[in-house]
Amino acid sequence: MTKKFQQKLIFSFLLIFAVSTLGIAIFEQHRARELKKYALEKKLETYAELIAKDFSSIELLPENLRITLMDKSGNVHYDNVVEHFDLENHLDRQEMKATLKDGVCSSIRESASNKNPYLYYAKNFDNKIVRVALPYDEHVKVLLKTNNEFLFFVIFVFLMGLALILYVGKYFGKTVNRLRNFSKILEIDEVAIPKFSEDEFGEICENIADSLRKIKNGEKLLKENEKRLVKEKEKLLLHVQASAEGVCFFNADRTVAFYNGLFLQYFNIISNDSLTIGKEISLDEHFFNPMIMFLNQCINEDYYETCVSRQGSDFQLRMNVFEDRSFEMILIDVTARENTRRLKQEMTGNIAHELRTPVTSIRGFLEILLNNNVNEEKKQEFLQRAFSQTQVLSELISDMSLLTKIDAKAQSLVSERVNISQVIKNAHEDTSVALQEKNIRFASNVPENVIISGNQNLLYSIFRNLIENVIRHAGTDIDIFVKMYEVKAGKAYFIFGDNGNGIEEDQHLSRLFERFYRVHDGRTRNTGGSGLGLSIVKNSVLFHEGTISVRRGKDDKGLEFLFSLRCVR
């Protein structure tokens, strides 16, 4: 590569220099010849003018000078070499034509009359043309011959220039060779800069070498960044796929670039179209209309949010618009959150209502006692009734406190080994008076050695609330039974049932465990209770890693609660 460059460089300079030198030599030789010819023509012009003024002066002119006198018609009137009578008309001669046109002419040619070569010079003098000529012999040739000293000087300069060209070519070739070697070093990931010549070209080469090194290092960094970017992209895609949100990325032309599986699932819930993997997502769905209007009208805004409700589910739909007008669409299932919000609203209303009745009653009784003269018998009656309402309030607050503790501080509750048979016995004993008043019989076949891993107070609340629920709603002269029918995979399975009034409509069965829910319309407290008992039962069962459900009893009499609890043995 370097030899070729050096040869090309030397050949190019040599060609330019040779052509220039040859041109200068030819031009100078031609110019010297023309100057000598011009001097000789000036001498012949002097002869012609002398003859034109005084013809007798021809005797003073050189003997070898040929003299010819002609008129403008080309007729020869005198010639000192050939008899003019023998000469033909000279009107067609080269110098004759030029003289008639320009007034003067010179040429070197062979004479048509005696076949000898001459240097002719002709000049027009008013009514005649005087032509003088010198034989074009060795003497004249010597006079016109150029000096070769300049040619020798040019050759010398050419040789010196050639030597300089060879030196410069070799010098540049070595520098280029070092630069080539450095480029090979870069190919094997080396970055050492070789020493260049200490001049401008060497500085240029060092700058180029330094730039090559930076480019090489930049390429390495770029490749590393590309690898890192690919890894980050893979992480992002994995994160999007595992995200709890449905995510879809759209290009600026509103075509889909990528979406995760959850977006596919949510889209199918709220869309009239059934979307499958690989199928293009259509933005023609009606719930997309506000977003399309936002994209078309709000050029300077980059965020939009709305809510969509469909098929009993609630979704929050967000859109982030990027600088290139591509955008990200996010679907978030907020059904549970909305249900919780609604439940909190309902619960707040329920609590307010449940508290209003006893508080209003207590306030009314106290106002009567304070503002009226009431006899002792009535006073005791009103105080007793006010005291009963305070018991209702106390029971409501106690139940709410227990539910709050289960919901918010379940981990703070102490777990221990509990004999479930003893817990059932305690619940029965504590409610025995109320059971006897309604002639309700209680029976349990739970073995005495069954140990449940859990919180004793919560386990007690399960059976206490189930018994009280029967007392309040099932009627009189009925039976209650508790059975443990299986122990499997670390869980004990129970049935708590009665043969009382039961529930006729199925729609109430699925809502029995809701807080403050009552089967009968209106929020009366004629049957007693806070409306939180069965909700406490469900949450206590869930705390013990169990499940609970309810069904009608045998022959549609009473209710049966089927639940499981974490069991040690």
Side-chain angles (χ1 to χ4, degrees):
M1 290 294 293
T2 305
K3 289 184 178 180
K4 290 183 179 180
F5 173 79
Q6 183 175 338
Q7 291 171 359
K8 289 179 180 179
L9 183 64
I10 294 175
F11 177 76
S12 300
F13 278 112
L14 182 60
L15 180 62
I16 295 173
F17 187 67
V19 171
S20 301
T21 303
L22 182 61
I24 292 172
I26 293 175
F27 173 76
E28 186 62 27
Q29 289 289 318
H30 177 72
R31 183 172 176 273
R33 180 182 175 86
E34 288 296 320
L35 288 174
K36 289 186 175 184
K37 183 181 176 184
Y38 177 74
L40 192 56
E41 288 176 350
K42 282 297 183 180
K43 189 175 183 179
L44 292 175
E45 182 182 10
T46 302
Y47 292 158
E49 290 178 351
L50 185 62
I51 295 170
K53 291 180 181 180
D54 185 7
F55 183 74
S56 61
S57 62
I58 60 176
E59 295 179 357
L60 303 174
L61 300 177
E63 293 181 357
N64 64 342
L65 183 66
R66 182 179 177 181
I67 301 170
T68 307
L69 300 177
M70 298 171 287
D71 58 21
K72 291 184 178 181
S73 299
N75 297 317
V76 179
H77 295 285
Y78 174 79
D79 191 288
N80 66 345
V81 176
V82 181
E83 286 292 337
H84 66 279
F85 301 107
D86 298 331
L87 294 174
E88 60 184 5
N89 190 286
H90 278 38
L91 190 61
D92 60 345
R93 295 293 193 272
Q94 178 181 348
E95 64 276 4
M96 187 65 180
K97 294 179 180 179
T99 301
L100 290 173
K101 181 180 180 182
D102 300 326
V104 65
C105 179
S106 67
S107 65
I108 299 174
R109 67 177 180 81
E110 186 182 80
S111 173
S113 57
N114 61 9
K115 305 303 181 182
N116 293 324
Y118 287 95
L119 171 59
Y120 289 103
Y121 183 84
K123 189 171 183 180
N124 187 357
F125 293 95
D126 296 334
N127 58 351
K128 61 182 176 181
I129 294 175
V130 177
R131 187 183 72 177
V132 292
L134 288 174
Y136 190 66
D137 52 15
E138 292 300 323
H139 177 70
V140 174
K141 290 180 179 180
V142 170
L143 291 175
L144 295 177
K145 188 176 181 181
T146 59
N147 193 342
N148 290 328
E149 291 180 359
F150 180 77
L151 182 60
F152 293 147
F153 174 75
V154 170
I155 293 175
F156 174 75
V157 172
F158 176 77
L159 294 176
M160 293 297 294
L162 178 61
L164 181 62
I165 289 172
L166 292 174
Y167 172 77
V168 172
K170 186 176 181 181
Y171 170 78
F172 278 98
K174 288 182 179 179
T175 304
V176 173
N177 185 47
R178 288 196 295 271
L179 187 60
R180 184 194 63 174
N181 292 337
F182 175 72
S183 66
K184 290 183 178 180
I185 290 175
L186 287 180
E187 292 178 359
I188 57 175
D189 296 334
E190 296 290 339
V191 294
I193 300 179
K195 184 175 179 58
F196 295 104
S197 57
E198 297 180 358
D199 54 16
E200 289 80 0
F201 187 78
E203 183 179 353
I204 293 173
C205 291
E206 288 184 357
N207 291 337
I208 294 174
D210 190 49
S211 298
L212 289 174
R213 181 181 62 179
K214 291 179 180 178
I215 292 173
K216 194 72 176 179
N217 292 336
E219 290 178 351
K220 292 181 182 177
L221 183 61
L222 181 61
K223 290 180 180 179
E224 291 176 359
N225 289 336
E226 287 178 351
K227 292 180 180 178
R228 191 179 298 110
L229 183 61
V230 170
K231 291 181 179 179
E232 293 299 326
K233 183 178 180 181
E234 291 176 352
K235 291 180 181 178
L236 177 61
L237 293 179
L238 289 175
H239 172 73
V240 172
Q241 288 290 4
S243 174
E245 301 173 346
V247 182
C248 181
F249 294 98
F250 289 83
N251 299 315
D253 59 357
R254 301 180 185 178
T255 57
V256 175
F258 173 79
Y259 58 85
N260 61 3
L262 204 56
F263 183 88
L264 186 71
Q265 177 182 340
Y266 291 165
F267 184 89
N268 285 331
I269 294 175
I270 62 179
S271 172
N272 293 324
D273 189 15
S274 180
L275 182 65
T276 57
I277 296 177
K279 186 176 180 181
E280 191 67 23
I281 295 177
S282 173
L283 296 178
D284 295 334
E285 296 289 342
H286 65 89
F287 57 86
F288 284 140
N289 290 340
M291 302 183 69
I292 298 302
M293 292 179 61
F294 174 81
L295 285 173
N296 294 336
Q297 299 175 4
C298 301
I299 305 299
N300 297 324
E301 298 184 24
D302 56 6
Y303 181 79
Y304 178 81
E305 181 178 326
T306 186
C307 291
V308 178
S309 297
R310 189 74 176 223
Q311 300 184 27
S313 298
D314 298 304
F315 295 92
Q316 186 180 50
L317 195 154
R318 299 176 184 171
M319 183 172 64
N320 296 308
V321 183
F322 307 116
E323 291 184 2
D324 61 351
R325 302 306 293 174
S326 61
F327 56 95
E328 170 194 42
M329 188 181 298
I330 302 174
L331 285 173
I332 306 173
D333 187 354
V334 294
T335 305
R337 187 177 71 187
E338 288 297 308
N339 290 339
T340 301
R341 182 185 63 81
R342 286 191 289 266
L343 182 61
K344 287 181 178 179
Q345 289 179 341
E346 292 176 0
M347 185 174 178
T348 301
N350 290 335
I351 291 174
H353 183 85
E354 294 294 333
L355 292 175
R356 185 182 300 114
T357 300
V359 169
T360 301
S361 298
I362 294 172
R363 179 179 178 180
F365 292 141
L366 293 178
E367 285 180 348
I368 293 173
L369 292 175
L370 290 173
N371 298 325
N372 298 281
N373 294 322
V374 182
N375 58 39
E376 191 64 26
E377 183 179 354
K378 284 290 183 181
K379 182 184 294 185
Q380 290 297 322
E381 179 185 351
F382 288 155
L383 288 174
Q384 183 63 40
R385 293 173 67 179
F387 177 73
S388 299
Q389 294 299 321
T390 59
Q391 288 181 317
V392 172
L393 278 176
S394 177
E395 181 182 350
L396 178 62
I397 293 171
S398 176
D399 289 345
M400 289 176 58
S401 176
L402 181 58
L403 278 175
T404 302
K405 185 181 293 186
I406 297 173
D407 290 341
K409 300 179 181 180
Q411 294 181 353
S412 65
L413 296 174
V414 178
S415 293
E416 55 187 338
R417 296 165 62 91
V418 180
N419 187 314
I420 195 65
S421 177
Q422 185 62 44
V423 170
I424 297 172
K425 182 178 179 181
N426 293 340
H428 175 219
E429 290 177 352
D430 292 341
T431 58
S432 60
V433 175
L435 291 173
Q436 291 175 4
E437 289 178 354
K438 290 196 173 185
N439 195 25
I440 300 175
R441 295 167 290 279
F442 184 90
S444 171
N445 73 340
V446 178
E448 295 184 356
N449 61 346
V450 176
I451 304 299
I452 300 297
S453 175
N455 182 270
Q456 183 166 350
N457 291 334
L458 293 183
L459 292 172
Y460 173 82
S461 69
I462 293 173
F463 295 96
R464 174 66 181 263
N465 279 287
L466 288 175
I467 294 173
E468 289 181 347
N469 187 67
V470 174
I471 294 172
R472 293 190 182 103
H473 306 291
T476 59
D477 195 21
I478 59 174
D479 295 302
I480 296 176
F481 62 91
V482 182
K483 296 180 181 179
M484 189 185 76
Y485 61 92
E486 187 176 11
V487 176
K488 184 177 181 181
K491 288 187 178 182
Y493 294 86
F494 300 86
I495 297 178
F496 181 99
D498 68 86
N499 59 355
N501 296 331
I503 297 175
E504 296 180 0
E505 299 178 4
D506 292 340
Q507 61 182 359
H508 298 299
L509 290 177
S510 60
R511 302 189 61 186
L512 283 180
F513 299 107
E514 293 182 12
R515 299 177 185 185
F516 299 109
Y517 181 77
R518 288 195 175 90
V519 174
H520 302 290
D521 294 336
R523 293 185 175 273
T524 73
R525 298 191 58 85
N526 295 332
T527 56
S530 64
L532 296 175
L534 293 182
S535 180
I536 293 174
V537 170
K538 179 180 180 180
N539 282 273
S540 298
V541 170
L542 294 177
F543 173 82
H544 291 86
E545 300 178 8
T547 59
I548 187 169
S549 60
V550 60
R551 68 184 182 187
R552 290 191 184 89
K554 187 176 180 181
D555 298 328
D556 290 336
K557 291 184 178 181
L559 295 175
E560 292 183 355
F561 293 88
L562 293 83
F563 58 95
S564 60
L565 300 172
R566 184 174 59 241
C567 178
V568 177
R569 74 170 191 269

